[in-house]
Amino acid sequence: MAHQLPALPYSLDALEPHISRNTLEFHHGKHHAAYVTNLNNLVAGTELEGKSLEDTILAVAGDASKAGVFNNAAQVWNHTFYWQGMKPEGGGAPSGDLAAKIDADFGGFDAFKDQFKSAGATQFGSGWAWLVLDNGTLKITKTGNADLPLAHGQKALLTMDVWEHAYYLDYQNRRPDYITTFLDKLVNWDFVAANLAA
Ligand code: MN3
C-alpha cells in the first residue's frame, strides 16, 4: 500500500492564534502532502515499494544515491511526528516521570527550555529541533533539512519544525517568537511522555 498523508490530529484552526489555519492549510495540505506524493513516485516499482516509512528511512540513510528517497521519507515522518507534538491549549510544563527525567538530565525545566530554544534558533537554514532519548539520556539536538534521530540511533520524543514554511506566514522572520510560542502554548506534553514511556 502506498504511503498516505495522515490527517491532522486537530482541526485546521485548532492552533489559532498561534499557528493559523492558513499555515496549516499550506504546511499540511501542500508541503506534507507533496512529500508523500514524491516518496510514492520515487519508490514505485523499486524494492522499497511497500516498505514501512521507518524501514524505508533506515534502508536509504547515508546512501547518497538515494538522497531523494531519504529526504522525502524523512520529511513525511518528521511532519507526522511534529503535528502530534502540538495540541490546542498546549504548552506549560510536563509532569510525572517526564518532568523528573528532564530535571535529572537537564538540571531543570528552564534549562531544558533554554537548550531547546537555542537549538531551534541556531539551526542555520532549514531543519528541526528535537528532544531525543540517546542511550537512556534526554538530549536536545538539531538536524538540517530532513535529517532525523532515527538515522542516528536516537529515539525522538518531540520535534519542532524550523523550516521557514512552518512559521513565515504567521511570524515572518521572527523565528524566536515562533519558538517561544511553540514551547509556551503548543507542546503536547502527554505525547512526549507517551513516547518516553513506550
Ligand atoms: Mn515543514
Side-chain angles (χ1 to χ4, degrees), residues 6-180:
L8 283 174
Y10 30 72
S11 66
L12 285 166
D13 55 8
L15 303 183
E16 291 191 342
H18 311 301
I19 292 180
S20 65
R21 166 185 283 268
N22 195 26
T23 289
L24 288 185
E25 283 177 345
F26 277 97
H27 200 180
H28 177 261
K30 303 293 186 188
H31 291 275
H32 194 177
Y35 296 126
V36 174
T37 299
N38 292 342
L39 175 61
N40 283 326
N41 289 338
L42 285 166
V43 302
T46 77
E47 73 281 4
L48 295 169
E49 187 171 9
K51 281 192 186 295
S52 74
L53 198 52
E54 288 82 0
D55 286 348
T56 301
I57 290 166
L58 290 170
V60 300
D63 181 348
S65 73
K66 298 281 177 58
V69 175
F70 177 82
N71 286 335
N72 283 284
Q75 285 293 77
V76 173
W77 194 97
N78 291 346
H79 283 90
T80 300
F81 195 74
Y82 169 65
W83 306 132
Q84 295 177 84
M86 299 187 287
K87 67 173 186 178
E89 312 295 328
S95 59
D97 291 346
L98 174 60
K101 182 77 172 151
I102 286 174
D103 285 345
D105 291 352
F106 293 105
F109 183 58
D110 287 343
F112 155 81
K113 288 208 294 186
D114 287 346
Q115 285 190 40
F116 192 83
K117 286 180 183 178
S118 176
T122 61
Q123 171 54 39
F124 185 79
S126 297
W128 302 81
W130 302 86
L131 173 65
V132 303
L133 194 63
D134 185 8
N135 281 322
T137 302
L138 294 180
K139 290 181 181 170
I140 304 295
T141 67
K142 56 186 177 182
T143 59
N145 297 318
D147 196 17
L148 74 177
L150 180 64
H152 302 280
Q154 299 165 329
K155 180 180 182 179
L157 304 183
L158 175 70
T159 196
M160 176 175 64
D161 191 343
V162 295
W163 286 56
E164 282 190 345
H165 66 222
Y167 60 87
Y168 213 84
L169 294 174
D170 297 324
Y171 297 88
Q172 293 77 50
N173 61 321
R174 292 176 284 114
R175 189 193 286 190
D177 291 352
Y178 159 70
I179 292 171
T180 298

